[in-house]
Amino acid sequence: MNNFRLIQTCPDSKARAGELVTPHGLVPTPVFLPVGSQGTVKTLTPEELKNMGMAIVLANTYHLYLRPGISVIEKMGGLHQFMAWDRAILTDSGGYQIFSLAPLRQVSDDGVIFRSHIDGSQHHITPELIIQFQEALGADIIMTLDKCPACDDTLEKVRRAMDRTHRWAERCQKCHRRNDQALYAIIQGGVFPQLRRQSVAYLTSLGFSGYAIGGLSLGEPKSVTLDITEATVALLPENKPRYLMGVGSPEDIIEAVARGVDIFDSALPTRVARNGALFTGQGRHNIQNSVYSQMEQPIDPECDCYTCRTFSAAYLHHLFRCGELLAYRLATIHNLNFISNLMHKVRSAILNGTFSSFRENFLAGYKPTDEQVRLSQKQKWLKSHNLSK
Amino acid sequence: MNNFRLIQTCPDSKARAGELVTPHGLVPTPVFLPVGSQGTVKTLTPEELKNMGMAIVLANTYHLYLRPGISVIEKMGGLHQFMAWDRAILTDSGGYQIFSLAPLRQVSDDGVIFRSHIDGSQHHITPELIIQFQEALGADIIMTLDKCPACDDTLEKVRRAMDRTHRWAERCQKCHRRNDQALYAIIQGGVFPQLRRQSVAYLTSLGFSGYAIGGLSLGEPKSVTLDITEATVALLPENKPRYLMGVGSPEDIIEAVARGVDIFDSALPTRVARNGALFTGQGRHNIQNSVYSQMEQPIDPECDCYTCRTFSAAYLHHLFRCGELLAYRLATIHNLNFISNLMHKVRSAILNGTFSSFRENFLAGYKPTDEQVRLSQKQKWLKSHNLSK
């Protein structure tokens, strides 16, 4: 019922087109999951997500456990009904958030004791509880509890986190009961190829419905992210989906697709939208820049999204200048529509055997955010989430 | 082209049904104008406003003059095109905002010198400029520049503000060129019936397309608001629309309709929505109250708005608790839909000759916000706008 079909592989790269079969519909891959941690993709309704072709969204067990509480959502008929979304949902286990957002953690093999980042209340989580929570939420795809190290931790520290991740994954698998839900394991091992190899070997020997690559896109250089992704994917079974967690810029998505990744999630497109940074075929443009103050054209004249079909760049600039709430919504619609279209084009290119030229053309036209700027923004963001050193 | 048709008068009260004929369509009256001061009804798209039956919105000349600037909107093809709204627009002159928001004002017969509340820059406004700005914006209905006194000013002070308002209204009328725009005058005179009488006499002798009652709903008791409204409306010509500025709670709208008012505007329905206060037939309920934390029903099971058709009260409660941006939007949709439906019911009742029983039934079921609470909230709000003493 809940599985993955591989449809086509690119002759010149590792890119592949497929589909996830879920109780809430087919999800064509490669696919990007918009982030709706608290049961809402910030600013948008379910209808708007559907209108831009989204087949699946991500929600977060840690956030929903703290607010409104798992039992509330269960009483409301499960997460699909609670957020009025009848397409597929993937819930992240919340491992990453426990180790980044929550202060005062005590980690043991048993599980984690942490304090809520909201009210300081103390909580005790185990791999078994995380599965129980995710079964109650009822997402189509659920994740094992993992321990995510920082990107500059020592090999020894990363190994310990990985070993714990493996033991927890095994316990998650053992207690998982709902066979309408696919359980994916999270591969750790940091930036060390030998650890990634061990993690893949261990987790694939247990056998999961899919494999996520965790612990990347945490402040390491992009070349490292891609190299580790490539090396890890090369070891994974062909017939299972591969999910690269936390990667969501257009250029990174295309490069990771070329290395065989099927699934992506990232708050980047929605987060930068709320800062006024909008994707175009030429790169990210900031609508708050005064060059847009009198521009009658939409920010991207080639774009078919509601925002670009309806409003001038000058209007959007004005809304941002005034801090009007509609600004964040219109920018979010644009960025998610851009990514949705991008995934559609990527998939068509793979199916048509033209992915390599598509990749080349896209990257030739798209000016990525300057690496220095990117890293300093990332550090700032990680710092606000307690994850940098 | 741009005029008012009186269709039906209630036999038991002064309530009347009519329609405004504008270059951007018919506007059935009594009508409520959602407030879109900066060229956006906060959180909503034009489509959402249309879906709830809104035929006209209000924008503000003062705000648009400061940001993005009148000439920008003119270059973008006028306000309708700028905000992508093809139905009617009324622009307020901004008199009220200049005298409430802007610090360091110097008022003379010539006009006002004030500082922007945004960046402190100095500006000089005259009645002629305000008309020129409104002609450039291109709204269907525009307003004269008025001087609005505080609700507890002395009779002498209120009289001086009124006299100045009259001289400015005359100058506005003289320089107004666009005959596709209706120009409404604003009656002042505070809480003094003899001044209101003088103001009506003076302004009706000049002859405007409509008459607004300004200077009310500024912290005086509700009974005074209604008494002054009643006394003022009684003096106004039958064949011109009457517009009560700044009144927008359901119970006040119904009482003012019964006294012969045709047009209303107020930020109240949208402002309180963003605080979680939602209209129902029984009164305002705050969705942040913990009684809603596990309620599967929508906040108002009888409501046909998108929010109530789609989401449980528990979900909306959750979004507010988390400060999620979607919360403000869903609450705004609900409150404006409630007011739009209310205006529709009020008008149908007048047309069917059942307004008196409708008024009685509505007010019997609707528990208004406690008068003490209301006045203290109002004072707090006025204080933040420099208008209280």
Side-chain angles (χ1 to χ4, degrees):
Chain A
M1 172 75 184
N2 204 343
N3 60 16
F4 174 67
R5 289 190 203 129
L6 184 58
I7 296 171
Q8 181 90 37
T9 307
C10 170
D12 314 310
S13 73
K14 299 285 169 56
R16 33 197 247 159
E19 62 191 9
L20 307 172
V21 184
T22 84
H24 292 88
L26 293 179
V27 177
T29 61
V31 67
F32 172 84
L33 281 60
V35 169
S37 301
Q38 307 195 106
T40 163
V41 175
K42 288 189 192 304
T43 78
L44 300 188
T45 60
E47 284 69 24
E48 283 164 330
L49 292 166
K50 284 186 186 179
N51 288 343
M52 55 180 81
M54 294 299 178
I56 180 168
V57 300
L58 175 140
N60 190 281
T61 309
Y62 168 81
H63 284 290
L64 295 173
Y65 162 77
L66 292 179
R67 285 188 308 206
I70 304 296
S71 67
V72 170
I73 297 177
E74 198 175 11
K75 274 182 206 154
M76 297 299 126
L79 186 56
H80 287 89
Q81 194 169 327
F82 187 60
M83 59 189 285
W85 176 252
D86 58 9
R87 296 190 180 176
I89 300 176
L90 181 152
T91 42
D92 191 6
S93 61
Y96 177 78
Q97 284 67 29
I98 291 171
F99 293 104
S100 59
L101 293 175
L104 299 169
R105 297 173 295 275
Q106 279 177 274
V107 193
S108 69
D109 257 4
D110 176 49
V112 198
I113 296 170
F114 64 91
R115 290 198 179 275
S116 157
H117 72 287
I118 299 159
D119 62 8
S121 56
Q122 185 169 296
H123 300 269
H124 184 192
I125 290 285
T126 64
E128 287 77 15
L129 274 173
I130 281 294
I131 293 299
Q132 188 183 312
F133 295 161
Q134 292 186 92
E135 291 191 339
L137 292 173
D140 302 86
I141 303 171
I142 68 175
M143 305 299 297
T144 56
L145 183 66
D146 64 326
K147 169 90 179 71
C148 181
C151 77
D152 51 358
D153 275 347
T154 60
L155 187 139
E156 227 4 83
K157 217 167 159 187
V158 173
R159 183 199 301 279
R160 281 199 302 274
M162 180 191 76
D163 286 339
R164 185 156 276 158
T165 295
H166 294 171
R167 289 191 293 272
W168 286 354
E170 197 166 354
R171 282 164 59 191
C172 284
Q173 189 182 45
K174 272 205 181 115
C175 69
H176 179 224
R177 291 288 166 271
R178 277 186 67 164
N179 58 16
D180 58 340
Q181 293 182 307
L183 175 64
Y184 288 14
I186 302 174
I187 295 155
Q188 289 291 350
V191 296
F192 305 104
Q194 67 273 41
L195 295 186
R196 290 281 172 182
R197 178 176 293 275
Q198 285 180 33
S199 194
V200 169
Y202 188 89
L203 293 170
T204 54
S205 77
L206 294 177
F208 288 88
S209 299
Y211 297 95
I213 305 174
L216 287 180
S217 198
L218 293 176
E220 75 281 1
K222 274 198 184 193
S223 57
V224 174
T225 315
L226 290 175
D227 288 350
I228 294 291
T229 298
E230 183 165 2
T232 307
V233 167
L235 305 167
L236 286 169
E238 280 283 321
N239 63 342
K240 294 293 168 71
R242 299 97 174 240
Y243 166 18
L244 179 56
M245 305 182 90
V247 165
S249 74
E251 70 276 23
D252 292 354
I253 287 175
I254 288 179
E255 286 302 309
V257 164
R259 287 159 175 81
V261 173
D262 306 300
I263 306 174
F264 300 86
D265 86 276
S266 169
L268 182 124
T270 43
R271 189 178 66 240
V272 302
R274 296 195 304 280
N275 290 325
L278 301 177
F279 295 134
T280 76
Q282 290 75 51
R284 257 155 69 176
H285 292 170
N286 200 306
I287 189 69
Q288 307 204 54
N289 192 307
S290 62
V291 301
Y292 297 108
S293 67
Q294 305 203 22
M295 187 182 284
E296 261 187 279
Q297 295 289 312
I299 182 106
D300 181 355
E302 290 163 37
C303 177
D304 64 349
C305 83
Y306 169 74
T307 303
C308 288
R309 279 186 286 113
T310 313
F311 301 103
S312 61
Y315 185 69
L316 199 50
H317 175 86
H318 166 64
L319 295 182
F320 266 99
R321 284 265 316 261
C322 296
E324 280 285 354
L325 292 172
L326 185 58
Y328 312 125
R329 182 179 166 194
L330 295 181
T332 302
I333 287 173
H334 174 82
N335 273 7
L336 284 185
N337 192 76
F338 182 93
I339 298 284
S340 179
N341 282 352
L342 179 69
M343 301 316 289
H344 183 77
K345 288 177 198 161
V346 161
R347 190 168 193 269
S348 299
I350 298 169
L351 291 173
N352 298 334
T354 56
F355 175 73
S356 286
S357 63
F358 174 83
R359 172 188 181 187
E360 203 175 303
N361 286 338
F362 183 89
L363 297 175
Y366 192 91
K367 184 176 173 296
T369 306
D370 179 77
E371 181 75 358
Q372 283 310 105
V373 173
R374 190 187 73 81
L375 282 177
S376 86
Q377 285 175 347
K378 189 90 195 185
Q379 277 307 327
K380 220 167 106 183
W381 182 78
L382 290 168
K383 207 165 175 182
S384 74
H385 285 70
N386 290 334
L387 250 192
S388 72
K389 302 242 164 161
Chain B
M1 173 74 185
N2 204 343
N3 59 16
F4 174 66
R5 287 190 203 131
L6 183 59
I7 296 172
Q8 181 90 37
T9 307
C10 169
D12 313 312
S13 74
K14 299 284 169 57
R16 31 196 247 161
E19 62 191 9
L20 306 172
V21 184
T22 84
H24 291 87
L26 294 179
V27 178
T29 62
V31 66
F32 172 84
L33 281 60
V35 169
S37 301
Q38 307 195 107
T40 162
V41 175
K42 289 188 190 307
T43 78
L44 300 188
T45 59
E47 284 69 23
E48 283 165 329
L49 292 166
K50 284 185 184 178
N51 287 343
M52 54 180 83
M54 294 298 179
I56 180 167
V57 300
L58 175 140
N60 190 283
T61 308
Y62 168 81
H63 285 290
L64 295 173
Y65 162 77
L66 293 178
R67 283 190 309 208
I70 304 295
S71 67
V72 170
I73 297 177
E74 197 175 11
K75 274 183 206 153
M76 297 299 126
L79 186 55
H80 287 89
Q81 195 169 327
F82 186 60
M83 59 189 283
W85 175 253
D86 58 10
R87 297 190 181 177
I89 300 176
L90 181 152
T91 42
D92 190 7
S93 62
Y96 177 78
Q97 284 67 30
I98 291 171
F99 293 105
S100 58
L101 293 175
L104 297 169
R105 298 173 294 276
Q106 278 178 273
V107 193
S108 68
D109 257 3
D110 177 48
V112 198
I113 296 170
F114 65 90
R115 291 198 179 275
S116 157
H117 73 286
I118 299 159
D119 61 9
S121 55
Q122 184 168 297
H123 302 270
H124 183 191
I125 289 285
T126 63
E128 287 77 16
L129 276 172
I130 281 294
I131 293 298
Q132 188 184 311
F133 295 161
Q134 292 186 93
E135 291 190 338
L137 292 173
D140 301 270
I141 303 171
I142 68 175
M143 305 300 296
T144 56
L145 183 66
D146 64 327
K147 170 91 180 69
C148 182
C151 77
D152 51 359
D153 274 347
T154 59
L155 186 140
E156 228 4 83
K157 219 168 158 185
V158 174
R159 183 199 300 281
R160 280 199 303 274
M162 179 190 79
D163 286 340
R164 186 156 275 158
T165 295
H166 293 172
R167 289 190 293 271
W168 286 355
E170 196 167 355
R171 283 164 59 190
C172 284
Q173 188 180 46
K174 272 204 182 117
C175 69
H176 179 224
R177 291 289 166 269
R178 277 185 67 163
N179 58 17
D180 58 338
Q181 292 183 307
L183 175 63
Y184 289 14
I186 302 174
I187 295 156
Q188 288 291 351
V191 296
F192 305 104
Q194 66 273 39
L195 295 186
R196 290 282 173 181
R197 178 176 293 275
Q198 285 180 33
S199 194
V200 169
Y202 188 88
L203 293 169
T204 55
S205 78
L206 294 176
F208 287 88
S209 298
Y211 297 94
I213 305 174
L216 288 180
S217 199
L218 293 176
E220 75 282 1
K222 275 198 183 193
S223 58
V224 173
T225 316
L226 290 175
D227 287 350
I228 294 291
T229 298
E230 183 166 1
T232 308
V233 167
L235 304 167
L236 286 169
E238 281 284 319
N239 63 341
K240 294 292 168 70
R242 297 97 175 240
Y243 167 18
L244 179 56
M245 305 183 89
V247 165
S249 73
E251 70 276 22
D252 292 352
I253 287 175
I254 288 180
E255 285 302 308
V257 163
R259 287 159 176 80
V261 173
D262 307 301
I263 305 174
F264 300 86
D265 87 276
S266 169
L268 181 124
T270 43
R271 189 177 67 240
V272 302
R274 297 194 304 280
N275 290 326
L278 302 178
F279 295 135
T280 76
Q282 290 74 51
R284 257 155 69 174
H285 293 170
N286 199 306
I287 189 69
Q288 309 205 53
N289 191 305
S290 61
V291 301
Y292 298 108
S293 66
Q294 305 204 22
M295 187 182 284
E296 261 187 278
Q297 296 288 313
I299 182 107
D300 181 356
E302 290 162 35
C303 177
D304 65 348
C305 83
Y306 169 75
T307 303
C308 289
R309 278 186 287 113
T310 313
F311 302 103
S312 61
Y315 184 70
L316 199 49
H317 174 86
H318 166 64
L319 294 182
F320 266 99
R321 284 266 315 259
C322 295
E324 280 285 354
L325 292 173
L326 185 58
Y328 311 124
R329 182 180 164 194
L330 295 181
T332 302
I333 288 174
H334 174 82
N335 273 7
L336 284 184
N337 192 77
F338 182 93
I339 298 284
S340 179
N341 281 351
L342 179 70
M343 301 317 287
H344 184 76
K345 288 177 200 163
V346 161
R347 190 168 193 269
S348 299
I350 298 170
L351 291 174
N352 298 332
T354 57
F355 175 73
S356 287
S357 63
F358 174 82
R359 172 188 181 188
E360 201 175 303
N361 287 337
F362 182 89
L363 296 176
Y366 192 90
K367 185 176 172 296
T369 306
D370 180 76
E371 181 75 359
Q372 283 310 104
V373 173
R374 188 186 75 80
L375 282 175
S376 85
Q377 285 176 347
K378 189 89 195 186
Q379 278 306 328
K380 219 167 108 184
W381 181 78
L382 289 167
K383 207 165 173 181
S384 74
H385 286 71
N386 290 333
L387 250 192
S388 72
K389 301 242 162 165

